[in-house]
Amino acid sequence: MTRTLRQGLRAGAVLIALVMLAFFFEAAVARAQTSRAPDLTLTGTLTGAAHETYAELPFKVPAGTQRLSVEFSYTGKEQKSVIDLGLRDPDRFRGWSGGNKSRFTVAEADATPSYLAGPLKPGTWKLILGAPNIRKAARADYVARIWFDPAGAPFAGFSDQPTASGERWWRGDLHMHTGHSDGSCLSRKGAKVPCPVFRTLDAAVARGLDFVAVTDHNTTSHFEALRELAPYYDDLLVMPGREITTFHGHANLFGPTAFIDFQLGGPRAPTFASIQTQSERAGGLLSINHPGLPSGELCMGCGWTAPDTDYSRVQAVEVINGGAAEGPLSGLAFWEARLNEGLRITAIGGSDNHDASLDPAKAPAIGVPTTVVRAPELSQAAILQAIRQGHVFLDVAGTRDRVLEVSASAGGAEAQMGDLLAAPAGAKVTITTRVVGVPGGRIVLAGDGAQLATLADPGLASGDQTLGFDLIADGQARWLRVDVRGADGKLVLLGNPIYLRP
């Protein structure tokens, strides 16, 4: 094969890759826009007189807009008419996609590649139309559809279509860091450098995960990298997250891309309640991280000491951080104290990985532990909603195949982990537990509802076994959790409770 031919083939492969990347971006944004009518539509015509000229279409962006999306189409392509596309805000140039994208989105923390993220200043913006070719007798009719998402509008994710469909258990890691905060890894020459985002996503795919949230400290800069990478990693749900790191505790926020102030005790966030309010207005899911860790000079603010925390406004607790499943560094006691107070808060886990590593010897490795979520599809909305509902268990070792399914029934009603089940005094409650991948282990019960249960044989003789037991409700509000321990007695799978209510 000649050098010229090899270069031509490589160039062709690159072109195909670029076309496919543009297709994925356009498809994702198109689906997002078809969910509602555009807020503004601009129409017009370019004729042969516009050949090799530029036109600017002014339009008004209202105050309070947090995301601007554009869909552009035109006629005349059969006559070789070409209209390129760009954007200006009131102060500066915001991007040029030429003819490679007909749809794009721009927000403060992320933007479609070709465009610049940044504040959406209200006022007159301009679509830039370039006409590299329009024949003298030709005409091209164009339509520009524009959407303005207001502040507080929920962010559906970097793709509004599910990465995969069908209800099942989806496996993910909800706590990871890259070079956008304190994540580092070895360069190609072996130097320690800030680790690029793609290395973390590569490791997540290698682990066999279905979803991830990259949670760099107090920043939103990584969201633009995630938006660019998400179409390539189309077998992995990539969710925006950030670790709100304060002097009195750390908390992960999943879902929104809008900036949330982290300066607890300062004028912008005088109390943790003010951070919770900002998070709620942005539509986020808030989780308290590693609350069992000590807080001091070695790890400032790592343990949870934020005064007057309203735990009823906390959706999840990172019960397992990295390898700390049990013991004084675990978040288990902190979480169970909240459950004993009558709250329903979901237990989740996260590796807290800082080096894109899969090596268990360099713990915490990505995917250890794995948060396993039961959801009807693999989308940001479905995963976050299932976490809110408590349809979650934790795989401590981060395997690809272990499963814990727990259901309860009473009086014709049924519940799964995280659900409420009506159980008045004297009602018989039947608990059914299925465990996959822990032969030789045993199930154990936790919570104030465990005292009501009768479990004859908790042993797991096979790799896929279903056990059942009953309890008689005593008319009190109770919570009951099923966990799994291995043959060595160590915690293998951690469940979320079923909540009994009279």
Side-chain angles (χ1 to χ4, degrees):
M1 184 181 295
T2 67
R3 179 179 179 183
T4 300
L5 181 56
R6 286 196 299 269
Q7 290 174 336
L9 290 174
R10 283 197 296 268
V14 170
L15 178 60
I16 292 171
L18 289 173
V19 170
M20 291 302 294
L21 184 62
F23 169 79
F24 281 123
F25 271 110
E26 291 185 16
V29 177
R31 288 190 293 265
Q33 304 318 325
T34 54
S35 62
R36 65 180 177 89
D39 299 301
L40 178 66
T41 301
L42 305 176
T43 61
T45 300
L46 297 184
T47 66
H51 178 71
E52 293 187 349
T53 67
Y54 296 96
E56 294 186 347
L57 307 182
F59 62 96
K60 295 286 187 180
V61 172
T65 299
Q66 75 172 6
R67 185 174 298 275
L68 165 71
S69 299
V70 175
E71 178 182 284
F72 185 80
S73 62
Y74 62 92
T75 64
K77 295 180 182 179
E78 71 282 355
Q79 296 178 299
K80 307 302 182 183
S81 295
V82 177
I83 302 179
D84 290 341
L85 191 61
L87 182 68
R88 292 185 183 275
D89 71 15
D91 299 323
R92 64 176 179 138
F93 177 72
R94 293 297 287 265
W96 180 259
S97 55
N100 67 66
K101 296 180 183 70
S102 60
R103 306 169 181 91
F104 64 85
T105 186
V106 175
E108 184 168 11
D110 67 280
T112 300
S114 302
Y115 293 88
L116 301 176
L120 272 63
K121 183 176 181 179
T124 300
W125 290 52
K126 297 175 182 178
L127 281 180
I128 309 170
L129 306 186
N133 189 66
I134 298 184
R135 295 172 180 172
K136 288 184 178 181
R139 60 177 283 148
D141 300 318
Y142 63 78
V143 178
R145 299 175 177 85
I146 305 174
W147 288 262
F148 307 114
D149 288 340
F155 177 56
F158 299 118
S159 172
D160 70 307
Q161 285 293 300
T163 302
S165 299
E167 182 165 346
R168 50 165 279 199
W169 290 106
W170 307 100
R171 313 180 88 86
D173 193 337
L174 294 171
H175 193 165
M176 296 179 290
H177 297 277
T178 73
H180 285 264
S181 58
D182 54 350
S184 63
C185 57
L186 297 182
S187 71
R188 291 174 61 83
K189 288 173 131 182
K192 188 176 182 179
V193 298
C195 205
V197 175
F198 81 88
R199 288 290 306 277
T200 291
L201 300 189
D202 271 351
V205 171
R207 170 65 71 182
L209 298 180
D210 300 305
F211 66 89
V212 294
V214 179
T215 55
D216 282 308
H217 295 279
N218 295 335
T219 187
T220 60
S221 63
H222 55 301
F223 296 160
E224 194 159 17
L226 293 174
R227 175 174 283 283
E228 182 178 9
L229 291 167
Y232 176 79
Y233 292 91
D234 56 357
D235 55 350
L236 177 71
L237 174 64
V238 179
M239 300 191 298
R242 90 287 302 265
E243 187 168 16
I244 299 172
T245 307
T246 80
F247 300 141
H248 301 285
H250 301 182
N252 272 346
L253 180 66
F254 308 112
T257 60
F259 175 72
I260 305 297
D261 204 288
F262 62 90
Q263 294 173 271
L264 181 58
R268 300 179 189 86
T271 65
F272 184 64
S274 61
I275 294 177
Q276 290 176 300
T277 297
Q278 293 179 55
S279 302
E280 290 162 358
R281 288 175 178 170
L285 187 155
L286 195 68
S287 168
I288 291 177
N289 290 348
H290 44 67
L293 293 183
S295 184
E297 290 184 350
L298 294 179
C299 191
M300 288 300 299
C302 282
W304 192 258
T305 60
D308 302 320
T309 301
D310 183 355
Y311 294 109
S312 69
R313 300 173 68 187
V314 173
Q315 290 80 51
V317 170
E318 188 185 64
V319 173
I320 303 177
N321 174 271
E326 296 183 276
L329 301 183
S330 165
L332 188 59
F334 177 92
W335 174 55
E336 290 184 338
R338 308 287 82 78
L339 299 180
N340 290 333
E341 292 167 359
L343 298 174
R344 293 171 61 194
I345 301 178
T346 302
I348 62 173
S351 68
D352 206 353
N353 179 269
H354 282 70
D355 61 3
S357 172
L358 290 173
D359 185 357
K362 296 172 61 180
I366 284 177
V368 181
T370 296
T371 299
V372 191
V373 179
R374 184 82 178 184
E377 63 182 26
L378 186 57
S379 67
Q380 178 171 301
I383 292 296
L384 295 184
Q385 177 62 13
I387 292 174
R388 291 178 187 274
Q389 294 171 328
H391 300 167
V392 175
F393 72 86
L394 305 185
D395 185 336
V396 177
T399 72
R400 298 190 182 203
D401 55 3
R402 285 176 174 165
V403 173
L404 172 62
E405 294 178 340
V406 183
S407 62
S409 60
E414 295 188 355
Q416 60 175 305
M417 286 185 289
D419 290 345
L420 290 174
L421 180 68
K428 179 182 177 181
V429 179
T430 298
I431 311 291
T432 303
T433 300
R434 178 180 177 231
V435 180
V436 176
V438 196
R442 60 188 175 89
I443 67 172
V444 295
L445 307 182
D448 56 11
Q451 60 186 309
L452 307 177
T454 301
L455 181 56
D457 182 4
L460 299 168
S462 69
D464 187 342
Q465 188 166 344
T466 299
L467 297 175
F469 59 93
D470 297 329
L471 62 83
I472 303 300
D474 62 356
Q476 302 295 314
R478 303 286 187 184
W479 62 273
L480 175 67
R481 190 180 79 237
V482 178
D483 299 334
V484 179
R485 294 186 177 274
D488 58 0
K490 293 182 179 179
L491 183 65
V492 172
L493 302 174
L494 176 76
N496 268 280
I498 291 174
Y499 300 89
L500 307 180
R501 297 294 184 262

